[in-house]
Amino acid sequence: MATTMTVSMTEPKTMDHGAQWRREWADAQKLKGPGLKGGSTFYRNIEEELDLSRQTGGGLPLHLPSHTIDFSTCDVLGLGRTGALREEFMKELDANPGFHITAGGSRLCDGTHKYHDNLEREIAELVGVESALVVHSGWTANQAIWSTVPRSGDVIVYDELMHATALAGMKVSLALEQKIFRHNDIDHFVELLEDIKETVPLVKSGKRCVIIGVESYYSMDGDICPLRELIDAAKEIFPQGNAQFIVDEAHSFGCMGPNGLGFVKEQGLEDEVAIRMITLGKALAAAGACILSNNTIRSLLINQAKVMICSVAPTFPLSAAGRAGFRVMQSQSAQEAREYLHDLTLFYLDTLTSNPIYKKANAKGLLRMPPHEDGDWHDVPITHIVPLWCKPKHAYYLSFHLVRDGINGTPIVFPVVARGEDRVRIFLHAHNTREEVEVLIKSVCSWAEEMLEIEASGDKSRIPSAARLAYDLMEEEKAKN
């Protein structure tokens, strides 16, 4: 919880926290293809491909943390930050003194142990499903689901903002017909389903299915799926029950619902959703993922999901961390964290949008929050994911500014999001204090004020000060070559 934090609240610009981060970024922009002329074609081709990103400042290094305030990690409830997960994990180790580190094999080849069985039964009972299948990551889970569950002749329909891990699974699915509906657009969704019903005879007759993919919380936008409305529409169009939903709850599980059991549970739609994918590395602060379904889906995945058949089983430490996360998630302190996080998000939205500089920047299109442009966040469900949309290139500018101030804002640009949809993703956490949120807002607005001055000057070659430091380093590296 926020009251346990001991974070230095140094005023922004007193210390430059971004020097190392900028250096690593500048190093990552060095063009390497030209230096391999006459060398290995294999490596030259790869470096020339990477150079396409480096030319626009899009080379991505791995950074060691340099921030003093966290607004980026997935430790949403603070279970990792506060030590609650570690404490429960150590109890789990003590309770299983003879544990083995090794996986032993795949789940089908001597990799399934009693601990896996007990953990999966515990999760299934907790959530209220027949089967809980634990895997290594959200990628593994989505790859297993989408590459295996849709059958030949089925039609996949999915929201345009579905996660890339799900799309990777769809690419190798037996269901070759795949339709995309506009994000959270119920009318377009209905239009697609009605068209499928009229043009795909096997679906119309009920012999094949429409498999519908959505996320509960959309990780890059921070808005929420209108799941009930989508389900009602699908049931009306396909009363035989051959329209089935798969819901990615990576960012909602642990954060909402009774005991943190997620969006589908909170909505009372458990019986209307065929499969839920939950991750253990976000609100639960551990690692891995879990596929919630009935035993029919479980058997299909175990027998036909190649990503599971060909991978070793989750090891004991990974499974034990996940189990610890589930137990802490149900505690009273975790419930208090969820309530605090909701209140903190309201405070952030109220304080940021009432700032006169933000208002000016928003009016100029420098900063936007599309999910919250209506200003109704006190009256509708909201998430802790509160990205700031920027003009092209400005996501990097804002990120450099935040990092200099000790804040780890992450720039999200094409191809992760569509062209022209650049943003800095901000995650609020239960371990953040109101004072830290005020520091974040002060930093954002100081950047916005600088950008307003630059735009008013009419000098199109001028870039903001923190970004200038980074780009100067990049030019220095170019000069050396």
Side-chain angles (χ1 to χ4, degrees):
M1 291 293 294
T3 55
T4 67
M5 294 289 291
T6 56
V7 175
S8 172
M9 296 305 299
T10 305
E11 284 292 313
K13 299 185 181 180
T14 300
M15 180 181 296
D16 181 355
H17 298 277
Q20 182 63 30
W21 198 98
R22 291 192 300 270
R23 170 59 64 185
E24 292 166 352
W25 174 83
D27 288 345
Q29 312 316 315
K30 295 177 183 176
L31 301 183
K32 297 185 178 181
L36 293 178
K37 298 297 184 184
S40 165
T41 300
F42 174 69
Y43 291 112
R44 184 178 68 249
N45 288 346
I46 293 173
E47 292 292 2
E48 287 177 349
E49 175 68 24
L50 290 168
D51 283 347
L52 296 176
S53 296
R54 293 164 178 153
Q55 288 171 352
T56 59
L60 302 176
L62 294 177
H63 292 291
L64 293 176
S66 61
H67 59 272
T68 61
I69 308 175
D70 173 22
F71 286 109
S72 181
T73 72
C74 293
D75 186 14
V76 179
L77 298 182
L79 305 189
R81 183 66 171 264
T82 62
L85 179 71
R86 184 181 187 279
E87 181 179 347
E88 191 65 32
F89 176 71
M90 297 306 292
K91 290 179 183 177
E92 194 65 14
L93 297 188
D94 290 342
N96 295 271
F99 69 84
H100 295 283
I101 294 292
T102 181
S106 71
R107 292 296 297 268
L108 287 174
C109 297
D110 293 324
T112 297
H113 302 288
K114 186 64 176 177
Y115 193 87
H116 291 124
D117 187 61
N118 289 340
L119 172 60
E120 290 177 344
R121 290 178 186 274
E122 187 177 304
I123 296 171
E125 182 177 353
L126 172 66
V127 181
V129 293
E130 286 185 0
S131 167
L133 190 59
V134 174
V135 296
H136 300 86
S137 66
W139 189 94
T140 305
N142 269 334
Q143 182 75 8
I145 292 166
W146 287 104
S147 67
T148 309
V149 172
R151 314 310 294 164
S152 179
D154 289 345
V155 179
I156 296 174
V157 174
Y158 62 95
D159 188 290
E160 65 178 335
L161 296 189
M162 277 291 286
H163 200 273
T165 56
L167 304 187
M170 294 176 194
K171 286 182 179 179
V172 292
S173 170
L174 294 174
L176 301 181
E177 188 162 357
Q178 302 180 11
K179 306 286 187 181
I180 306 170
F181 66 94
R182 290 187 292 271
H183 178 53
N184 280 354
D185 189 327
I186 299 169
D187 291 338
H188 190 221
F189 174 75
V190 169
E191 181 183 323
L192 281 182
L193 293 197
E194 289 178 338
D195 180 68
I196 291 167
K197 185 173 183 178
E198 293 306 314
T199 59
V200 185
L202 288 175
V203 172
K204 184 175 184 177
S205 66
K207 294 180 179 179
R208 291 293 184 271
C209 297
V210 178
I211 311 298
I212 301 159
V214 294
E215 297 182 28
S216 51
Y217 287 6
Y218 284 91
S219 60
M220 292 299 164
D221 284 39
D223 54 358
I224 300 175
C225 174
L227 183 59
R228 185 178 299 278
E229 292 85 348
L230 296 178
I231 289 173
D232 288 345
K235 289 171 69 175
E236 183 176 344
I237 296 169
F238 294 104
Q240 294 171 285
N242 58 324
Q244 294 290 330
F245 281 78
I246 299 173
V247 180
D248 183 330
E249 285 220 58
H251 289 273
S252 60
F253 194 83
C255 295
M256 72 176 309
N259 290 324
L261 292 177
F263 178 70
V264 172
K265 189 83 169 178
E266 191 269 342
Q267 294 285 305
L269 296 171
E270 305 98 300
D271 295 337
E272 307 291 348
V273 174
I275 303 172
R276 281 173 273 170
M277 193 285 286
I278 63 174
T279 54
L280 315 184
K282 296 182 175 64
L284 273 64
C290 189
I291 301 168
L292 307 175
S293 68
N294 65 13
N295 286 328
T296 298
I297 298 297
R298 179 186 180 88
S299 296
L300 176 67
L301 295 173
I302 290 172
N303 283 274
Q304 296 190 18
K306 292 181 176 62
V307 71
M308 290 191 60
I309 295 170
C310 302
S311 299
V312 296
T315 61
F316 173 82
L318 185 146
S319 302
R323 193 178 207 174
F326 271 101
R327 290 177 176 172
V328 178
M329 182 191 78
Q330 301 172 71
S331 67
Q332 179 60 32
S333 61
Q335 180 58 34
E336 291 170 359
R338 284 187 284 273
E339 293 170 1
Y340 172 81
L341 180 58
H342 179 266
D343 291 343
L344 188 71
T345 306
L346 292 176
F347 172 77
Y348 169 79
L349 292 171
D350 286 342
T351 307
L352 177 63
T353 58
S354 63
N355 186 292
I357 296 173
Y358 175 83
K359 289 181 178 180
K360 291 179 183 178
N362 180 255
K364 293 281 189 179
L366 288 171
L367 288 173
R368 298 182 296 118
M369 292 190 292
H372 302 298
E373 293 298 314
D374 293 337
D376 57 355
W377 48 84
H378 281 272
D379 303 316
V380 299
I382 56 174
T383 79
H384 58 279
I385 306 167
V386 285
L388 290 166
W389 273 254
C390 311
K391 289 184 176 181
K393 294 186 178 181
H394 286 195
Y396 282 111
Y397 295 174
L398 176 54
S399 182
F400 287 131
H401 188 97
L402 292 173
V403 170
R404 186 179 65 179
D405 289 349
I407 298 167
N408 55 341
T410 304
I412 308 294
V413 300
F414 179 83
V416 178
V417 293
R419 293 188 187 277
E421 294 291 319
D422 297 16
R423 68 201 67 176
V424 171
R425 190 166 74 164
I426 304 291
F427 274 24
L428 300 179
H429 310 87
H431 60 252
N432 291 133
T433 64
R434 287 194 171 203
E435 290 77 17
E436 289 171 350
V437 167
E438 289 171 342
V439 170
L440 168 64
I441 292 170
K442 183 175 181 179
S443 182
V444 169
C445 290
S446 68
W447 174 83
E449 186 171 32
E450 186 177 8
M451 293 304 302
L452 287 167
E453 291 173 359
I454 290 172
E455 287 211 343
S457 73
D459 185 353
K460 294 184 179 180
S461 65
R462 182 181 165 194
I463 63 175
S465 56
R468 180 74 273 161
L469 294 171
Y471 282 94
D472 284 347
L473 286 173
M474 188 170 68
E475 293 303 321
E476 288 175 14
E477 294 297 335
K478 286 182 180 179
K480 291 178 184 178
N481 298 330

